[in-house]
Amino acid sequence: MTIAVIYGGNRLNGNTETLTKLAIQGLDVEEVYLKDYLIEPIIDKRHAEEGFSEVNDDYNSIINRNLPHDILIFSTPIYWYSMTGTMKNFIDRWSQTLKDPNYPDFKSIMASKKAYVIAVGGDQPSIKGLPMIQQFQHIFDFVGTTFEGYIIGEGNRPGDISQDLIALSATEQLRKEIQ
């Protein structure tokens, strides 16, 4: 089984990245940092006669890197009780890919995958982050991806995640599960 991690964070070595790195430590993983790419917001043309226009950005290169993998780990800080805008732009563009003749099997390919979410936030994230987890569940349900689980850690300032023993233990369990 091959694994890709899609990082949605904007802080280098942030709490979410740190927690994710612990979960994948020692595993052969393809890592994609969305902050390093230009992903234009979607211009919704699902119902327009002309359909979606080609977009000159890095989105397709990211999709091409993710599609070959069996497991996708979505790693995002919790910003304002949801995923980062960068992660949301990436997922919003799936609407375009679903209609793209260059990806005629996008939905069936996504349906063959397993997904995990790793998220870290402050302000009671294990409760207030649950709507975001439910959002991921709906997204995965729509494309047929199996949602295998999630880890929500608590941390606000850099390095805080090292104090969340429950999240650290969960990452160890996840690593054992996906190796």
Side-chain angles (χ1 to χ4, degrees):
M1 294 250 245
T2 61
I3 303 167
V5 176
I6 301 104
Y7 293 99
N10 297 313
R11 183 191 308 158
L12 184 63
N13 300 316
N15 287 309
T16 308
E17 181 180 349
T18 299
L19 190 61
T20 303
K21 293 274 189 187
L22 289 171
I24 62 171
Q25 186 176 2
L27 302 176
D28 184 22
V29 175
E30 178 159 7
E31 297 175 286
V32 177
Y33 291 82
L34 296 178
K35 69 178 179 54
D36 295 339
Y37 296 91
L38 174 63
I39 305 170
E40 294 289 345
I42 191 166
I43 297 173
D44 188 357
K45 293 190 174 184
R46 288 174 295 154
H47 306 291
E49 190 174 316
E50 72 276 10
F52 287 99
S53 305
E54 265 311 300
V55 179
N56 187 19
D57 66 1
D58 300 318
Y59 169 77
N60 284 345
S61 69
I62 298 167
I63 284 295
N64 291 337
R65 289 179 65 188
N66 290 323
L67 286 179
H69 296 286
D70 305 302
I71 296 173
L72 301 176
I73 299 174
F74 293 82
S75 174
T76 181
I78 301 172
Y79 284 0
W80 289 101
Y81 312 100
S82 189
M83 66 185 78
T84 63
T86 306
M87 181 72 76
K88 185 69 169 78
N89 270 349
F90 172 68
I91 293 172
D92 281 352
R93 289 286 295 281
W94 290 6
S95 294
Q96 185 171 349
T97 307
L98 286 164
K99 301 279 188 176
D100 190 332
N102 295 315
Y103 298 93
D105 301 320
F106 178 70
K107 194 168 184 177
S108 64
I109 293 170
M110 291 301 290
S112 71
K113 300 185 182 316
K114 295 179 180 181
Y116 295 86
V117 173
I118 298 176
V120 177
D123 194 20
Q124 302 176 332
S126 61
I127 295 170
K128 295 180 179 180
L130 290 178
M132 179 193 69
I133 296 301
Q134 186 176 39
Q135 181 181 22
F136 272 107
Q137 176 71 67
H138 293 309
I139 290 164
F140 298 145
D141 285 348
F142 186 83
V143 294
T145 301
T146 304
F147 190 14
E148 293 289 328
Y150 65 92
I151 298 169
I152 296 179
E154 184 163 1
N156 187 30
R157 300 185 57 79
D160 280 355
I161 194 60
S162 65
Q163 304 303 308
D164 187 340
L165 300 180
I166 294 171
L168 294 173
S169 176
T171 61
E172 179 66 28
Q173 293 302 314
L174 175 57
R175 184 171 61 251
K176 289 176 183 176
E177 187 176 320
I178 62 177
Q179 60 183 344

